[in-house]
Every structure is written in structure tokens, then in C-alpha cells.
Amino acid sequence: MQKKWNIKGSRGETAERLAKELGVGSVTAGLLVDRGCGDKESALRFLRMEEEMLHSPMLLCDMDKAVARIAQALDGKERIVIYGDYDVDGVTSVSILYLYLTALGADVGYYIPNRMGEGYGMSESSLDKLIDEGAKLIVTVDTGITANAEVDHARARGVDVVVTDHHECHGELPNAAAVVNPRRPDCTYPFKDLAGVGVVFKLLCAFETKRAGISEQDAVRRICADYADLVAIGTIADVMPIRDENRLIVAFGLRRIERSERIGLCALIDAVSQRPDGSRSARAPKITSGFIGYTLAPRINAAGRISSAALAVELFLTDSREKADELAKRLCDINRERQTEENRIALEAYERIDASHDFENDPVIVLAADNWHHGVIGIVASRITEKYGLPSILISFDGAQSDGDLDVGKGSGRSVKGLNLVDALVYCDDLLEKYGGHELAAGLSVRRENIDAFREKINEYAREHFKSEDRTPSLDADFEIGVDEVTLENAEEIRLLEPFGVSNPVPSFVLRNVQIAEVQSISFGKHTKLLLDRGDGHPLTAMYFSHSPKEADVYAGDEIDLLAGLDVNEFNGRKSAQLIVRDLRLTEARAAAEEACGARYAALRAGAAAEPDEDILPSRDDFAAVYNFIRRQVRFGEDSFTVREMLSRDTAVGAVGYIKLRFIIDVLLELNIVGVESIGKDAYRFSVSYKQKRADLDKSAILRRLRSQQKRG
């Protein structure tokens, strides 16, 4: 499905004036205008982050109660256990609270449930285990807001719970000693979009203010100096909006990471910078929100998805470089396992969706399986939602009992703008065992017997609340630029607007009428590198990550439009500008010409008269060119092609042309010369018998009919 491109703005007189006033390029000025900074003063405030401020942590409901109860535990030398979640937000939340309390001499431990055995959130069995081991106070981080029964269970056993969380609240709040969550309906905290680790950060700031008897500003400086790096990682990884105080926290945290002395973090950065031969790159990676989100976070996340989140926590807690290197390598190895499993599940899911999903009536994709790894289905759901532009929920019964009370599957869902996933799950409350999350991402548990009813009910909700116009996948771009503006100067200047993230997205641009000079396969076909002709003999590089050349389906000589980001590529000590492609398509003129060929073929196939001089009848040489191409490629293990690919990859086939090629494929199938299976619009899978006898093309009814259509014309 072709994505819709939303071009948010265009550069005009305001951007040109701002460029002169600030001494920046028109591209950077245009981006500032797009972000609401149309005059010099507001632009400078944005660049200097002067409008953002850190709010008083005491504005959070129950913060005073949380500080008092933890202080009581410290004074009474009570055993404190931090109960966290297994994603990056949870891991960083556990780490900073553990480090802080340990530094104060607390008797403290932590517990993160196993994703496979226990699933998301608190459980009474886990609480019993912790209480039996001596816990007197449980502090939840990044979880607990829906754990009413579990909190009551702990209270019944004489143990208090302090809940810190940032997930959506639905129903009554837990009856805890304190519930600190900016999303509480009764909480007037001015910024609702803190990550779980952001809420813990505010808790530490409040505690330090009271403990040390210092101002809130001084407490913030102390806590930032010690923990802003991990707060930034958790905030970025949980895809929180990079605005308001998140922008300040992330900006400061990224600077801390650049000169980090945290042994575990340094070891992880070194591990991801390692080359395949084991050597390390001499160039330190640029620490950006993108590096955190796409490089570090997946490896931290992989621990909780495939193995144990405790591995990632221990990485941040250790003061041994040897142990840190060992843990960092283990996280990288686990991440590779995760990628393999993710790809397996994704391919299986795509096949099922293409074969059976009712796109006309069901706006939400719901799939369930017995053998999908719980820790990976969330990532696959993200890929499905990106690919099809629809909300998706994947449910795994891996490890569940085949019958009885334990036959409960764990699910993970992702949504798109226009459908609040938590609201949709609330509508399905009677069919679910447990659920929680955000507008665009959520987790759930459901019994096998309720899967079909759940699928129907969530789609019933979506049909009413998810507008049809929102179902076309879309991408945002700031404005159009020319190929001549893809320069190193512009790429470096754009970095002035960092940190990027939700609410301050990585800038994207549309470039039109760009000709492809060459298409290259990267990383064994995982990615595609395009060399674009800019007319000066120096081709421009455009990287299309996570798309193989086959998926891109563009070729040398094609004229295309691109939606892409502008980045700096550093290689062998040299810097250059490159594009990071988010989407591409043929130019309108090229697409219209191909559409016209397709329409003409369809008309002729339906029996329309042909012009006497219309070149539509393939010759035996044309058949030979196409047959030889198919036979050769199948022999080399490649059996699937689009019509565009066949025309572009072989000169002889290219000379045949679209209409004749389509008729040749029809005749090859008709006469059983090769096996032909349609696998999509203008896409086929071929099989060849190498004992095939010479074909008699005169036996083709398709060709006889085509000749008569031309005579009739």
C-alpha cells in the first residue's frame, strides 16, 4: 500500500528572513519555522532550550508521601525491594533508584519479573516470595498503576507499596502508601509525558531536596550529574515526547553519555562499535537520540525479551570493567538471537495477514500462535503496523497450558494515530485477563477461548472510532528540498535542533525527480544503497535501511521521488552528506506512464481492438529472451520477480517492453512452459522444468486472439 506523504510546510519569506538574522541556511531556518519559531527571539530560545523548565517534583500527587515512606524505611533499616519492568524504561528506572538508595546505605534489592514465565506487571506469587525473603517496602518503577489486587495482597501481609508509574490509569488507583503518576486523573502536574524513569528521576530530586536540606535546583543538579545518562536512555527508548522537561533531561543526558564514566555504559558503547573481525572502530560514535534509540536500546531491551532483564541492570550497576565487557558482549549476542527470532515471526505473520486478513472490514490486525516468543512479538507488531498502516496485536501461547486455567496468551499491541489502543482494550475489558499501556503501545493477557471474540470486539470498537481516512499509512515531511541542498553544511547544521524524538522529530524532506544511477545490496540484501545522479559526476548516497533491493523495486535509470532525512556519513576520516530514505516512489510522470501500460494491457487482455501498427505481438526472440532470463535466475536460486524488475535487470527483456512481457508470461502459463504463480500486483513466482521440450507457440489461444484483435483494429 502506497503511503500518504504529509508535507507540513514550505519555505517562504519568513524562513529566508530568519536565515539571514541567525546566519544559518534556509533549510535550518525552515525547520525552525516548522517548529513554531518564526522570529529570531523564539528561534534562539528553542535552540538554547530557554523555554523548557524542570517542574517541581512536589507538584506530583503523593510525592510527599512517597518521600516520607522511603525515608522511614531508610531510618528503620527496613528491607526495600524495587519492583520493575523488563524494558529499557524499567531497567534504567530500577538502576538509578537502586544506585541512589545503595549510596545512602539502604538495605535494597530489586526484582524484575521474567517475561516468559510471569509476563508484565506485579503478581501475588512474586510478592509472596519477596515478602518471605524479608521485604518491608516495595517500590514499583514503570509498573504498578493497575496492580490493585497485588497491592492489597501486600498490605494484607503487612508490607507497604509505593507505586511510581507513568502508564494510563483506568479504574480506581491502587490502595498504596503512595501512587506517583503524572497521568493520575487528579494530578495537576503540568507535564504528563514523563517516562517511568522520568518519574523516578523526580522522586530522587524530591528525596535529595528533603534529605540534604538543599534547594530543588541544587538537588536537580546533583541527581542529573549522577543519573541523567540513564534517564535519557529510558526516556528515548520508551518513545516519550522530547519536549518540555524531557527535552532538557535528554539533552543533558546525551552530553553526560558523551563523556560517560559509567563503566557498563562505556562497555556497551564499545561493544556496539566493534567490527565483525573483533577490532574496534577508531571513531567514537556520535551520541544522538537516534544512536540511543536504534543502537543501544535494542540491546538493552533484548535482555528482557530473550533472557533476563537483570543482565542489563547488572551492566549498569557493576564497577568491574571485566564484568561489564562480558555483560555487554552477552547483550549483543542476545540481540542477534532476538533479530533471528523476530524475522522468523515477521515472515510467518506477513504470510498469514496477506492470505486471510479482511482489510475491508477489520481495521485491527489480531494474530495468535503457540510458538511465538513473548519477548519479540511487540517488535514484530511494530513492523506489522508500519508495513500495513494498521493497529496490530500479536498474542503468543508459548508456554501456556493446552487446557485449564493456565491457557492464557500474552499479547503485545501497537497502534497508529487515530486509535487509542488503551481505550480500545478498555472496551474489551470483559474478554481480557490483564492489560495496560499507552495510546500507541499496550500489553495484554487473554484466554485462548476468547481470542475470536476479542478480535471481533476490538474491531467493532475500531470501526466506530478509527476513521477510514486514518487507515492509510502516512509519513510526515517538513518541506521539499533540492538535490543541491543535500550538503554536508546543511546536514551538520540540522544537528543544532537536537535532541530529536517525538514532538521534535528528526527532520524529513521530500526530493522530487531524482534519477537513480545505481542500486546496491548491503548487508546480504538486508539494506539498499542508492546512488543518485546529481548532475555533477559525483553521485549522492541514499541509504534505505531494512528494505532489500527487491522490496525497494527501483532500478538504475528510474526517476523517483524520495522522503528522506539528511545525515552526516563518516568513513575513513572523511565526512559527507547522505540521505536516510524513509519512503520512495516513482515520479508521477513515470508512474502514470507505467499505469497507462498496465491499463492498455488489461484492455487488450479483455478483448479490446488493437491499432494496426501497435507493437503488442511478441516474437519468438522475445519469448526466448524472457524464458532464458527466468531459467537462468531460477537455476541460481532466484524465482520471484516483479515485471519492473525483469524489465530492468536484463537488457534483452527490457527491449520486450511491458505489454508484450505481460502477454509472454500469460502464454508461458497457458502452454505450461514454466510454472507461474501470481504473488502480488505485477509480481510472480516461477518454476522451470529443465526437461521442457521446444514449445509450439502457434497453439496459444492468447496469441491467436491477440492477432485477431490487431486485424480487427
Side-chain angles (χ1 to χ4, degrees), residues 397-472:
F397 287 90
D398 189 20
Q401 301 295 318
S402 59
D403 54 47
D405 292 339
L406 297 180
D407 195 14
V408 175
K410 297 181 177 68
S412 188
R414 299 294 184 270
S415 191
V416 297
K417 185 179 180 181
L419 183 74
N420 186 310
L421 196 53
V422 172
D423 289 347
L425 294 178
V426 170
Y427 183 78
C428 305
D429 179 88
D430 59 316
L431 296 171
L432 300 174
E433 302 299 300
K434 186 188 291 188
Y435 60 91
H438 307 296
E439 177 182 351
L440 300 179
L444 59 94
S445 297
V446 59
R447 292 184 182 278
R448 189 187 300 270
E449 67 215 41
N450 290 332
I451 290 288
D452 291 339
F454 169 65
R455 181 183 293 109
E456 176 53 39
K457 192 163 186 179
I458 197 168
N459 275 292
E460 178 184 283
Y461 178 89
R463 282 190 286 270
E464 182 178 346
H465 294 85
F466 191 27
K467 298 175 183 177
S468 57
E469 56 266 30
D470 291 333
R471 298 177 196 173
T472 301

Side-chain angles (χ1 to χ4, degrees), residues 503-697:
S503 296
N504 183 31
V506 176
S508 292
F509 310 99
V510 169
L511 294 86
R512 299 199 185 275
N513 302 312
V514 183
Q515 187 171 62
I516 298 177
E518 188 178 344
V519 179
Q520 298 177 0
S521 176
I522 303 294
S523 298
F524 305 102
K526 186 177 180 181
H527 312 297
T528 299
K529 179 179 181 179
L530 304 175
L531 298 181
L532 308 176
D533 185 0
R534 63 163 118 207
D536 60 0
H538 300 285
L540 171 66
T541 298
M543 299 300 301
Y544 200 10
F545 292 112
S546 300
H547 287 78
S548 68
K550 271 188 173 294
E551 290 171 317
D553 199 27
V554 291
Y555 307 93
D558 279 345
E559 293 179 349
I560 62 172
D561 296 337
L562 296 163
L563 193 154
L566 179 54
D567 195 21
V568 177
N569 179 43
E570 298 185 40
F571 184 71
N572 286 339
R574 294 182 57 195
K575 292 184 178 181
S576 62
Q578 69 176 3
L579 295 170
I580 306 299
V581 179
R582 297 183 63 202
D583 195 22
L584 54 77
R585 60 182 60 158
L586 295 175
T587 61
E588 285 188 14
R590 185 67 177 266
E594 294 197 0
E595 199 67 33
C597 285
R600 184 57 180 155
Y601 158 78
L604 291 167
R605 195 74 171 87
E611 297 297 328
D613 59 348
E614 195 171 357
D615 187 16
I616 58 171
L617 276 168
S619 67
R620 180 168 284 277
D621 286 344
D622 293 335
F623 273 95
V626 174
Y627 176 76
N628 288 334
F629 170 81
I630 294 171
R631 192 172 187 269
R632 181 172 62 251
Q633 298 307 130
V634 169
R635 174 171 284 175
F636 291 150
E638 197 176 3
D639 63 358
S640 303
F641 309 95
T642 63
V643 171
R644 296 198 77 251
E645 185 177 5
M646 296 174 72
L647 291 169
S648 300
R649 283 184 52 178
D650 187 278
T651 304
V653 176
V656 171
Y658 177 91
I659 292 176
K660 289 193 288 186
L661 176 55
R662 288 293 303 274
F663 277 114
I664 288 171
I665 293 171
D666 291 341
V667 173
L668 292 176
L669 174 60
E670 176 197 24
L671 299 181
N672 198 29
I673 298 171
V674 298
V676 181
E677 176 191 357
S678 177
I679 55 174
K681 185 177 183 293
D682 278 8
Y684 300 93
R685 180 177 290 114
F686 299 99
S687 57
V688 176
S689 170
Y690 292 96
K691 297 179 180 179
Q692 178 70 42
K693 296 179 181 178
R694 183 178 176 84
D696 184 357
L697 297 178

